Amino acid sequence: MSCAPDDDGYPATAHAADTLEALDRRVVDCRACPRLVAWREQVAAERRAAFRDQTYWARPVPGFGDGTAAVAVVGLAPAAHGANRTGRMFTGDPSGDFLFAALHRTGFANQPRATGRDDGMRLDGLRLVAPVRCAPPQNRPTPDERRRCAPFLARELELLSPTLRVAVALGALGWDALLASLGEQGWAVPRPRPRFGHGKELTLRRSEGSGPAPTPTPPATALTALTVLGCYHVSPHNTYTGRLTPAMLDEVLERAAVVAGRRARVLP
């Protein structure tokens, strides 16, 4: 089965979700992108030899972490044999191994390794969010797929807004999707839009009188300032080549902790 972008209201009616749990239910039921639906289900049917006895999730992946987070990490997360298999962002692949180890070192995660949805992983003060919720072929979602999925990211940021203070963008795709979403919500994103860079930092404020009308179900408390931090994506292409080292990722997460008003805990 494949659906047109607005069939069943997914994801075009994401704004109607009044809680993160309600949004998550909409996310996992989405079949708006035929190419992504076909790919995620094909991967689950063929499987990788190492996982041949496992049942793949093979659905869109919801956000994961603290529902009252001060920090959001935004980046392409569902991998064909990672989150598409386990059903949790950055779980079960090398990218997740690298990220969760850093989250543990800096005090955001209770353990350094994520293997599946029942592994006991908990995040404190941080939530993982993706601009595209399905694993794309070659890890490259098309512009149209990114556009279709964008309402999920927008609504998740809105629902987090009472507590959110920092957004860490992983890679250029995460950076561009995040700034585009914030700009549409009335944030004063500089023009021309700043280019992605590792370690780049922006402080954004709401722009009075700009952006679209408020969503039908806005959060109780409006976020008035948000710091955006750029970080290379935790993909093997970056981590195996040394473009992104553990120390570099720790530094970005430590900065996020400071801006969010929490104390980073850096373990050896």
Side-chain angles (χ1 to χ4, degrees), residues 65-66 69-70 107-110 122-127 262:
D66 193 338
F108 289 107
N110 67 315
R122 296 189 307 276
L123 300 183
D124 177 23
L126 184 142
R127 187 171 177 86
R262 47 182 292 142

Side-chain angles (χ1 to χ4, degrees), residues 5-163:
D6 293 337
D7 281 1
D8 300 322
Y10 302 116
T13 59
H15 60 78
D18 57 2
T19 66
L20 288 170
E21 291 75 16
L23 180 64
D24 289 346
R25 289 193 294 271
R26 288 177 175 272
V27 168
V28 301
D29 285 340
C30 184
R31 298 179 66 87
C33 299
R35 187 183 78 115
L36 299 187
V37 171
W39 173 248
R40 76 195 192 204
E41 294 179 356
Q42 176 185 335
V43 169
E46 296 176 351
R47 305 181 192 177
R48 181 170 285 174
F51 310 126
R52 62 181 176 273
D53 296 328
Q54 297 185 18
T55 299
Y56 276 53
W57 172 258
R59 300 171 77 183
V61 183
F64 171 67
D66 193 338
T68 58
V71 180
V73 175
V74 182
L76 194 60
H81 302 281
N84 188 55
R85 171 174 59 89
T86 64
R88 195 171 71 195
M89 288 194 181
F90 288 111
T91 299
D93 62 20
S95 296
D97 292 344
F98 194 91
L99 176 60
F100 280 110
L103 293 176
H104 181 249
R105 288 193 300 271
T106 52
F108 289 107
N110 67 315
Q111 60 192 42
R113 185 82 187 272
T115 57
R117 295 194 308 280
D118 59 352
D119 61 8
M121 176 65 72
R122 296 189 307 276
L123 300 183
D124 177 23
L126 184 142
R127 187 171 177 86
L128 302 176
V129 184
V132 177
R133 305 304 175 113
C134 295
Q138 289 81 50
N139 290 321
R140 293 179 181 175
T142 67
D144 190 53
E145 289 161 352
R146 292 165 61 180
R147 178 190 60 78
R148 291 183 186 181
C149 209
F152 287 143
L153 172 62
R155 189 55 181 154
E156 193 150 11
L157 293 173
E158 289 174 339
L159 291 169
L160 289 171
S161 68
T163 56

Side-chain angles (χ1 to χ4, degrees), residues 192-217:
R193 187 184 300 164
R195 296 184 63 183
F196 167 77
H198 180 83
K200 183 169 286 190
E201 179 171 334
L202 299 175
T203 300
L204 304 181
R205 299 189 183 279
R206 287 200 179 274
S207 177
E208 295 295 333
S210 66
T215 58
T217 52

